[in-house]
Amino acid sequence: MAADKVDPIHQFHIVKLIPINIGGYDLSFTNSALFMVATVAVASAFLYLTTSSRSLIPTRLQSVSEMAYEFVGNMLRDAAGTQGMKFFPFVFSLFMFVLVANLLGLFPYFFTVTSHIIVTFGLAALVIGTVVVYGFMKHGLGFLKLFVPHGVPVYLLPLVVLIEVISFVSRPVSLSVRLFANMLAGHITLKVFSGFVVSLSALGAVGVAGSVLPLAMAVALTALELLVAFLQAYVFAVLTCMYLNDALHPGH
């Protein structure tokens, strides 16, 4: 157990809570699944409790909910225009899920689901899948104009189209890796400095004195991780809005 406390990787281990095996497939309920459920429950409960009894003069928590609503709404209108508001429930749900998951991961002994690339890639694939499906439903083959920028000379068109296709295909990778890498790196760094504090404190008075610096770094990193938790949710949401704009307006 002592080794686990200073092991920066141990916090990312998947643990089976309820083993489930169906037809040879492992469908066990894990700690990752538990915290995804908790993320949805916390976000839903917060939004419901803060908006169920709306008043003309909002409470502090009601103000937070309204600010989140306006923040995402303005982001979507700026990126995709008023037509983009049809995707508001989708973008708002993604923003709240990523934000709450990031924040829950800051609590000691909690699990950070966004530090696993399978989760972030699943969210990114959902975004790109929505873009592709809606783009073809609304524009048909006209959606392919997304890969043919205006004003490109004919002799350069094959190269430009290839670059555009590669850029589009790489979107779910870049979208998922950005969130996963930031959350993973931040939590590992925080765990390392926290481990220094524990290890030095076990050395007596000299060790306790020496642990002041890593303790200060751990506190500073916690504050930074709080900022990163919001920034990564914002970046994920704003990129989603930009990609949805391509589905609405595929022409360059």
Side-chain angles (χ1 to χ4, degrees):
M1 292 298 292
D4 289 343
K5 292 181 180 180
V6 296
D7 179 9
I9 305 300
H10 181 75
Q11 58 184 313
F12 306 114
H13 289 179
I14 298 294
V15 179
K16 294 181 182 180
L17 302 179
I18 305 177
I20 302 173
N21 193 290
I22 300 177
Y25 292 96
D26 188 356
L27 304 177
S28 301
F29 188 78
T30 65
N31 53 342
S32 178
L34 174 63
F35 277 93
M36 281 189 274
V37 172
T39 297
V40 174
V42 170
S44 301
F46 174 78
L47 293 172
Y48 176 77
L49 294 175
T50 56
T51 59
S52 58
S53 57
R54 293 184 297 273
S55 58
L56 185 61
I57 302 177
T59 62
R60 290 184 178 88
L61 293 180
Q62 182 182 331
S63 296
V64 172
S65 295
E66 292 177 355
M67 287 172 61
Y69 181 95
E70 288 298 326
F71 179 74
V72 176
N74 291 333
M75 182 196 315
L76 189 53
R77 278 188 291 267
D78 291 341
T82 54
Q83 293 181 359
M85 288 303 290
K86 64 181 65 177
F87 291 107
F88 177 82
F90 176 62
V91 178
F92 186 74
S93 298
L94 281 175
F95 174 77
M96 291 301 298
F97 179 86
V98 174
L99 177 61
V100 174
N102 291 348
L103 293 176
L104 286 180
L106 293 176
F107 287 87
Y109 303 107
F110 277 30
F111 188 85
T112 311
V113 296
T114 48
S115 65
H116 279 239
I117 194 168
I118 187 62
V119 175
T120 59
F121 185 80
L123 295 176
L126 177 62
V127 172
I128 302 303
T130 301
V131 170
V132 172
V133 171
Y134 182 83
F136 278 111
M137 286 179 58
K138 181 176 177 62
H139 304 285
L141 293 179
F143 176 66
L144 297 177
K145 292 188 296 183
L146 178 66
F147 308 109
V148 186
H150 289 304
V152 177
V154 176
Y155 61 89
L156 285 178
L157 202 55
L159 178 60
V160 172
V161 169
L162 178 62
I163 293 173
E164 290 288 335
V165 170
I166 294 175
S167 175
F168 185 84
V169 172
S170 67
R171 285 180 177 182
V173 177
S174 62
L175 190 60
S176 58
V177 169
R178 182 182 292 107
L179 175 58
F180 145 77
N182 277 279
M183 301 311 299
L184 181 74
H187 280 65
I188 287 178
T189 306
L190 183 59
K191 186 74 172 184
V192 167
F193 279 98
S194 300
F196 286 160
V197 175
V198 174
S199 299
L200 290 172
S201 298
L203 300 178
V206 176
V208 171
S211 68
V212 173
L213 180 58
L215 177 61
M217 288 297 298
V219 173
L221 283 170
T222 301
L224 179 62
E225 281 297 289
L226 186 62
L227 176 62
V228 170
F230 173 78
L231 285 179
Q232 288 305 309
Y234 166 73
V235 170
F236 196 95
V238 76
L239 289 176
T240 298
C241 294
M242 294 172 63
Y243 297 157
L244 290 171
N245 180 57
D246 289 339
L248 292 165
H249 314 102
H252 285 248

